Amino acid sequence: MQIQAHGRIPADHPSLAGHFPGNPIVPAVLLLHELLATMQDHWRVAPGPIYWSAVKFTASLRPDEPFVMTLQTRDGGQIAFTITRGDTTIASGSLRYPVAAVACWDREQ
């Protein structure tokens, strides 16, 4: 199952204060937080342990820039993801939830 979600981190987000003043970029951890929130909202995955198999950041994101998160479920609770801005990949990787937490993935919403 695959989902896509669109996002934008507003320039007045509290996490940006002090994060390169005068030349702000969105912290990587905030993008990962948005990714997890999207998973929990769409698949109703309960908060719990997450195992990050791989995460690679290849470009930065500025406040107010739109981005797209694409998530693809795999066997064994694996999720592959990309975060892009237009044709530019900002981040990619995979993570795993315990199998019991993802039993709802294949249910119709």
Side-chain angles (χ1 to χ4, degrees):
M1 175 181 283
Q2 179 176 305
I3 61 168
Q4 278 195 333
H6 298 262
R8 184 184 63 79
I9 305 299
D12 62 352
H13 191 283
S15 72
L16 298 175
H19 205 262
F20 303 106
N23 191 21
I25 63 171
V26 174
V29 70
L30 182 55
L31 288 175
L32 295 179
H33 179 269
E34 291 293 311
L35 185 78
L36 294 176
T38 297
M39 289 171 42
Q40 290 172 349
D41 289 347
H42 185 80
W43 288 318
R44 311 246 192 287
V45 177
I50 301 163
Y51 306 97
W52 297 95
S53 305
V55 179
K56 184 174 185 176
F57 287 86
T58 54
S60 59
L61 181 71
R62 302 257 179 224
D64 290 322
E65 287 185 323
F67 61 91
V68 177
M69 295 178 286
T70 303
L71 299 97
Q72 176 72 47
T73 59
R74 307 272 192 235
D75 291 337
Q78 291 281 339
I79 299 168
F81 69 87
T82 59
I83 302 173
T84 57
R85 176 190 60 242
D87 293 334
T88 302
T89 299
I90 297 168
S92 61
S94 60
L95 59 100
R96 183 175 59 82
Y97 266 93
V99 175
V102 296
C104 62
W105 284 357
D106 294 325
R107 293 184 197 154
E108 292 296 321
Q109 298 291 323

